[in-house]
Amino acid sequence: MKNRIYVLLILVFIFSNSIFAQNIERTFIGYDEKEGKLEIRTNDGLYLIKHYNKKIVETSFIPKGESYNPNSHAVVLTPVQLETEIVETKNSIEYKTSGIKVLISKEPFNISYYNNNELIISEKEGYAKTKEYETLSFNLDDSEMLFGGGARVLGMNRRGNRLQLYNRAHYGYTTHSELMNFTMPVVVSSKMYTIHFDNAPIGYLDLDSKKNNTLTYETISGRKTYQVIVGDTWEDLIDQYTDLTGKQPLPPRWAFGNFSSRFGYHSEQETRETVNKFSEDSIPLDAVIIDIYWFGADIFGHMGNLEFLKDSFPTPQKMINDFKEKGVKTILVTEPFILTTSKRWDEVVEKKLVATDKDGNPYTFDFYFGNTGLLDIYKPEAREWFWNIYKDFTNMGIGGWWGDLGEPEVHPSEAQHAIGSADEVHNIYGHDWTRLIYEGYEKDFLEQRPFILMRAGYSGSQRFGIIPWTGDVSRSWGGLKPQAEISLQMGLQGIAYMHSDLGGFAGGDKFEPEMYTRWLQYGVFQPIYRPHAQEHIASEPVFHDDTTKSLARESIKLRYSLLPYIYTIAFDNTQSGIPLMRPMFFMEPNNDSLYLNSDTYLWGDNFLVSPVKDPEIKEKKVYMPANATWFDFYSNKTYKGGREYMVTVEKDHIPVFVKAGSFIPMVRPVQSTKFYDTKELDIHYYPDPTDSENKGKLYDDDGITPMAYKKGEYEILYFSGEFEDESLNIEFKNELGTNYKSTDRKINLIIHKLGISPKDVVLNDQQISYEYDEITDQLVISFKWKENSDINIKIRQPKKQITY
């Protein structure tokens, strides 16, 4: 019996080592600790391992004959001073922090990563080289689900796919898309870790396509560097990743309003008539986007002119100023392609501003819009030239920029850039184009937040304020279906503002009012509210029938009413990286079924949103996350969490629910955010007697100043509710930045489902009047909130009256 046990132990040892063995030809030679890095010498190269903090570690492999390239396009975090420990035994080396531990087995050679002594992931072959690619491979466990790789439509769990890393637009996609305009070398696991492959050139991300529990990164060239990031919660994981790659700055407040956009407005007259129509129809509007016709009379031959066509736009300065008076910003499209037929072609050739062939001549090629060259934004003189165009128009009053075709849409491999070939910079081109504009604003427009709408980017593009969209989606129910999935996936990868062309962009034989309406209703609860489409069917609600227009108006007005809440969750994103749209598994990380669900999602901490994605449905199944009670936002009906319900679907809204314990700040809708303020607030409170303290907040600033929070130019209003045996106690407080002035406010506090009219209401020791509606079961308390003061409200009423 004893001999059998010994044999079993030997077999277990051999089996476990064979699982984690790397390249059998790789052998350990020695190690050193230098300048905060652990150097592991092997027969075929050098490993450099460094801890950024206790939750982020980076590993680089430098093959023999190559030198270390320390330059990252994604990482901005400086490693903190961290207490590390190296423990060497005969068979292993441990490189330890109080969080992540790296275990290097000497023979057979292997590197594995642990967090709190639990295995996260291990290298399989580690670095290897094939005829086509250099690869890094890792062991996966049987159960983990994988997200990431940028924007795709593959279902939430992307395991089993080999994902191409090559930004490319997919025109007219619906419910399946393997390759889209924004790819990233990022993998997020349901085991709550992220691996970021810190390398720009094109390649593949193989998420166990061969079903052998293997994750493989494949690249044509470049750095063999990756970071492993862990978190205690999903919120913590994203916070760590966006510390590594940068936090998104807060967009201007007007960017959360409604846009008028199409492909495209042909003239100043048409643009003016459209903007005026929004005012006439009392539909709020904050920006108008002008597509390629601002510089050319038709689609072909003019790209790269980058100046107003005076025949079509005779008084652009007056148009911009007139729109500004209405509170409407003017946004212009730009592209990095300079056609050989454009007015600027001779200039860019003379100044050597475009990508070249291997002999140094301008590289030209044909694509949809004509014969063209591509700006080489990796040349300092090209960046300066391009930025000066942006600068001149921004001085003219242009409110923001749309960068289109930035994958780049066509980018032949033969083209050469200042820092490498087309294939080496392709995936970072949109990222660095965004950087060009963002850093230009930092230099020349210190008091203005940029608005940068871009179709393509890279890991870390969020730190340059990128506002990406989901590409040229089909104008169909099939196009609507995957939109939440794409945004949720991108949020897990640090890109919080991914949004869709509301109503769909591509194709469509005839207008479908129901589909259009449902898409706009969903848009209330996506980061940016921007209908946009090809012009043969209007994208703007003002050009549709009265019923469609009325439903759109109500959705857009709701968007504006919710601006205090939306702006607050956008502020939270700047602080912690947490996306505005969040998967339900954030609330239930141990519920595996939720990892597959993008049908319903969280909007901030407090809303649950379930878009309607099929025609003529009367009801739909909605899962309510556990450990909470949920209020129907429209009817006040309550649902216990942890169950799926069949809910009624109404024509005028999609199913939306509010988590018990929430405070939702709202305002009366305005025609433009130019007229927005928080001097009168409706604070909707959904009490939860099972929670020890209900909490909420509102972040406020001027909506314009960059880095207002850091500069002390802000105010945060805090709301809390706490139950005692015979009363509900509500407290309002504020936190004021050192360079900001508060204001007096009128507050309408609406308390939902209190259960019974209170005995009395006392505000700061003074009894006050109130209104209670027995039919709606809502209590309304209106009062003045003096600047820089605290409010304490005591509602005397037995706790037992609240029943859900």
Side-chain angles (χ1 to χ4, degrees):
M1 180 65 180
K2 193 178 290 186
N3 289 336
R4 290 181 182 175
I5 293 173
Y6 289 152
V7 171
L8 180 61
L9 289 173
I10 290 169
L11 287 172
V12 168
F13 177 79
I14 292 171
F15 179 67
S16 62
N17 277 276
S18 67
I19 288 176
F20 298 119
Q22 287 188 201
N23 187 330
I24 59 174
E25 297 180 358
R26 182 165 297 128
T27 57
F28 173 83
I29 294 176
Y31 77 94
D32 294 293
E33 187 178 21
K34 294 180 182 179
E35 300 176 348
K37 300 185 187 74
L38 181 65
E39 296 186 359
I40 303 292
R41 299 188 302 279
T42 70
N43 64 311
D44 61 344
L46 178 70
Y47 279 92
L48 296 181
I49 303 172
K50 70 176 178 182
H51 292 280
Y52 282 90
N53 59 35
K54 68 178 185 177
K55 295 180 179 180
I56 304 174
V57 64
E58 176 180 282
T59 298
S60 299
F61 182 74
I62 302 96
K64 272 193 172 179
E66 295 187 16
S67 56
Y68 175 58
N69 175 8
N71 300 315
S72 170
H73 296 278
V75 170
V76 293
L77 183 65
T78 301
V80 300
Q81 290 292 323
L82 194 64
E83 186 175 329
T84 60
E85 181 183 5
I86 297 176
V87 179
E88 183 179 13
T89 68
K90 180 181 178 181
N91 296 317
S92 68
I93 299 167
E94 291 184 359
Y95 190 30
K96 301 168 67 174
T97 70
S98 59
I100 289 180
K101 175 181 76 175
V102 185
L103 176 64
I104 300 100
S105 298
K106 296 179 180 178
E107 188 177 355
F109 186 83
N110 173 261
I111 296 180
S112 51
Y113 301 88
Y114 292 78
N115 183 37
N116 298 323
N117 294 316
E118 291 188 8
L119 178 66
I120 307 165
I121 196 167
S122 63
E123 290 194 355
K124 193 165 193 173
E125 289 190 3
Y127 172 77
K129 193 167 186 177
T130 68
K131 186 179 289 187
E132 290 184 278
Y133 300 107
E134 296 180 274
T135 67
L136 296 167
S137 63
F138 300 80
N139 295 293
L140 297 169
D141 72 29
D142 288 330
S143 62
E144 62 188 302
M145 291 171 268
L146 301 178
F147 317 102
R152 323 263 174 171
V153 183
L154 297 168
M156 286 297 284
N157 182 10
R158 294 176 172 177
R159 186 168 180 167
N161 291 282
R162 183 170 179 255
L163 307 178
Q164 188 177 1
L165 296 173
Y166 188 90
N167 293 348
R168 178 180 290 150
H170 182 171
Y171 176 82
Y173 71 91
T174 57
T175 56
H176 183 83
S177 182
E178 296 182 11
L179 185 63
M180 294 176 66
N181 42 284
F182 199 136
T183 68
M184 288 191 286
V186 180
V187 180
V188 183
S189 169
S190 59
K191 289 171 58 177
M192 218 174 285
Y193 70 82
T194 293
I195 296 185
H196 172 241
F197 296 97
D198 193 358
N199 187 43
I202 65 173
Y204 284 86
L205 203 51
D206 191 325
L207 307 184
D208 195 27
S209 67
K210 296 177 182 175
K211 312 297 183 186
N212 59 353
N213 293 336
T214 304
L215 163 66
T216 307
Y217 170 68
E218 309 169 37
T219 182
I220 61 166
S221 63
R223 283 156 49 94
K224 276 65 71 174
T225 295
Y226 62 90
Q227 295 90 27
V228 176
I229 307 106
V230 300
D232 298 326
T233 63
W234 282 105
E235 293 86 348
D236 181 36
L237 178 63
I238 293 173
D239 192 14
Q240 297 297 326
Y241 174 74
T242 52
D243 275 348
L244 180 73
T245 58
K247 294 289 196 285
Q248 177 110 14
L250 189 59
R253 183 160 41 227
W254 63 261
F256 297 99
N258 180 35
F259 288 69
S260 178
S261 182
R262 67 161 68 170
F263 180 29
Y265 301 117
H266 290 255
S267 67
E268 179 178 337
Q269 180 180 347
E270 183 180 29
T271 311
R272 284 179 176 275
E273 288 173 353
T274 301
V275 169
N276 290 339
K277 195 89 168 64
F278 279 87
S279 298
E280 293 166 9
D281 290 339
S282 299
I283 296 179
L285 182 67
D286 261 274
V288 60
I289 299 179
I290 305 178
D291 210 321
I292 62 175
Y293 300 115
W294 73 273
F295 53 69
D298 52 39
I299 292 175
F300 305 110
H302 308 291
M303 189 171 289
N305 285 348
L306 297 172
E307 65 180 29
F308 276 105
L309 179 64
K310 287 301 179 75
D311 288 346
S312 304
F313 290 84
T315 59
Q317 183 68 73
K318 187 173 187 311
M319 177 189 73
I320 294 165
N321 293 344
D322 289 347
F323 289 167
K324 189 175 180 180
E325 282 297 308
K326 293 174 175 285
V328 176
K329 299 290 189 294
T330 303
I331 314 296
L332 296 180
V333 75
T334 58
E335 298 88 2
F337 297 96
I338 310 296
L339 297 190
T340 58
T341 53
S342 73
K343 295 178 180 179
R344 295 185 185 265
W345 176 250
D346 290 341
E347 179 187 0
V348 298
V349 170
E350 180 185 350
K351 294 179 178 178
K352 300 182 178 180
L353 305 181
V354 295
T356 67
D357 61 22
K358 290 185 178 179
D359 296 323
N361 302 310
Y363 189 90
T364 60
F365 51 94
D366 292 328
F367 82 139
Y368 180 75
F369 298 94
N371 186 258
T372 192
L374 176 67
L375 283 174
D376 186 357
I377 61 172
Y378 297 99
K379 293 180 177 179
E381 57 271 27
R383 287 198 299 274
E384 182 180 9
W385 180 88
F386 209 9
W387 168 246
N388 283 335
I389 292 172
Y390 288 115
K391 181 179 177 180
D392 289 345
F393 281 109
T394 303
N395 280 324
M396 191 176 176
I398 293 300
W401 295 97
W402 172 16
D404 202 9
L405 315 182
E407 294 80 17
E409 181 165 289
V410 177
H411 201 189
S413 297
E414 297 79 12
Q416 302 297 308
H417 293 267
I419 64 170
S421 69
D423 287 347
E424 288 173 318
V425 305
H426 179 82
N427 286 340
I428 55 170
Y429 192 97
H431 174 81
D432 287 319
W433 183 15
T434 310
R435 180 207 298 258
L436 182 159
I437 300 172
Y438 181 77
E439 291 181 348
Y441 271 80
E442 283 190 316
K443 178 170 64 79
D444 292 321
F445 300 102
L446 300 177
E447 302 303 317
Q448 185 175 345
R449 296 179 196 172
F451 176 82
I452 309 170
L453 183 68
M454 283 280 176
R455 198 165 77 175
Y458 180 69
S459 314
S461 290
Q462 71 275 357
R463 69 178 180 269
F464 304 128
I466 194 168
I467 306 289
W469 81 100
T470 61
D472 293 343
V473 58
S474 167
R475 184 173 4 207
S476 65
W477 289 101
L480 172 58
K481 288 179 189 295
Q483 294 309 310
E485 174 196 332
I486 299 171
S487 293
L488 293 172
Q489 288 273 355
M490 293 297 277
L492 292 172
Q493 300 168 75
I495 306 296
Y497 284 86
M498 181 60 85
H499 68 285
S500 65
D501 290 343
L502 296 179
F505 173 81
D509 295 327
K510 62 179 182 178
F511 180 59
E512 294 188 56
E514 185 186 5
M515 183 271 294
Y516 177 82
T517 296
R518 292 306 190 191
W519 213 319
L520 266 61
Q521 289 169 349
Y522 157 69
V524 176
F525 305 96
Q526 73 164 11
I528 301 295
Y529 199 96
R530 188 183 56 84
H532 179 70
Q534 293 170 332
E535 63 183 322
H536 67 283
I537 300 174
S539 57
E540 308 90 341
V542 294
F543 295 115
H544 291 300
D545 60 273
D546 289 345
T547 299
T548 301
K549 187 188 302 185
S550 176
L551 289 168
R553 181 187 296 111
E554 291 311 304
S555 292
I556 294 167
K557 284 189 171 182
L558 175 59
R559 173 79 177 192
Y560 277 73
S561 291
L562 285 169
L563 279 176
Y565 179 83
I566 296 169
Y567 198 61
T568 299
I569 63 175
F571 167 73
D572 288 341
N573 169 258
T574 70
Q575 301 303 296
S576 69
I578 189 167
L580 287 71
M581 293 173 65
R582 307 164 194 175
M584 287 191 290
F585 60 73
F586 273 40
M587 287 190 66
E588 289 189 63
N590 296 320
N591 186 341
D592 286 350
S593 67
L594 295 186
Y595 286 89
L596 305 175
N597 190 327
S598 62
D599 185 62
T600 302
Y601 63 91
L602 299 166
W603 177 240
D605 281 334
N606 307 101
F607 281 98
L608 185 71
V609 180
S610 193
V612 175
K613 298 182 287 187
D614 292 290
E616 299 180 359
I617 64 170
K618 307 299 182 187
E619 55 186 11
K620 71 171 296 193
K621 289 181 180 178
V622 178
Y623 178 81
M624 308 283 176
N627 307 313
T629 297
W630 297 91
F631 287 73
D632 186 302
F633 182 55
Y634 300 94
S635 72
N636 267 349
K637 182 179 178 180
T638 54
Y639 300 84
K640 291 288 186 184
R643 291 177 51 194
E644 190 173 64
Y645 296 86
M646 189 66 76
V647 301
T648 302
V649 172
E650 305 290 349
K651 288 184 178 180
D652 61 349
H653 63 266
I654 59 175
V656 177
F657 308 88
V658 183
K659 185 170 63 176
S662 298
F663 288 85
I664 306 297
M666 298 177 68
V667 293
R668 308 296 162 87
V670 289
Q671 185 61 29
S672 160
T673 58
K674 177 181 180 179
F675 311 108
Y676 170 94
D677 62 50
T678 61
K679 292 180 180 178
E680 182 172 356
L681 290 169
D682 292 341
I683 308 294
H684 291 261
Y685 175 31
Y686 300 82
D688 181 3
T690 67
D691 195 359
S692 58
E693 188 176 21
N694 304 171
K695 293 182 179 179
K697 70 180 180 187
L698 182 157
Y699 173 82
D700 199 21
D701 59 25
D702 67 5
I704 300 168
T705 302
M707 301 304 213
Y709 180 72
K710 188 175 181 180
K711 294 173 182 176
E713 300 177 17
Y714 72 93
E715 184 175 21
I716 303 178
L717 310 181
Y718 292 101
F719 321 115
S720 63
E722 189 173 8
F723 285 88
E724 294 180 354
D725 288 340
E726 296 292 325
S727 68
L728 170 57
N729 301 321
I730 300 170
E731 188 173 57
F732 283 26
K733 290 186 173 184
N734 80 322
E735 173 190 321
L736 197 62
T738 54
N739 297 309
Y740 200 73
K741 189 177 186 321
S742 185
T743 186
D744 293 347
R745 290 181 170 89
K746 179 184 177 183
I747 303 295
N748 300 304
L749 175 62
I750 301 106
I751 303 174
H752 296 253
K753 298 203 79 165
L754 201 58
I756 193 172
S757 180
K759 295 178 180 177
D760 57 33
V761 176
V762 175
L763 188 151
N764 290 351
D765 298 323
Q766 297 291 320
Q767 191 165 317
I768 61 169
S769 61
Y770 59 87
E771 296 179 12
Y772 177 74
D773 188 319
E774 289 186 6
I775 296 174
T776 61
D777 193 9
Q778 289 185 358
L779 174 67
V780 180
I781 305 168
S782 298
F783 56 91
K784 294 284 176 116
W785 186 1
K786 291 287 188 181
E787 62 176 286
N788 299 321
S789 65
D790 293 346
I791 296 290
N792 293 280
I793 299 170
K794 183 182 283 288
I795 301 170
R796 290 209 303 145
Q797 172 213 17
K799 179 178 176 181
K800 65 182 180 183
Q801 293 296 333
I802 295 183
T803 56
Y804 299 143

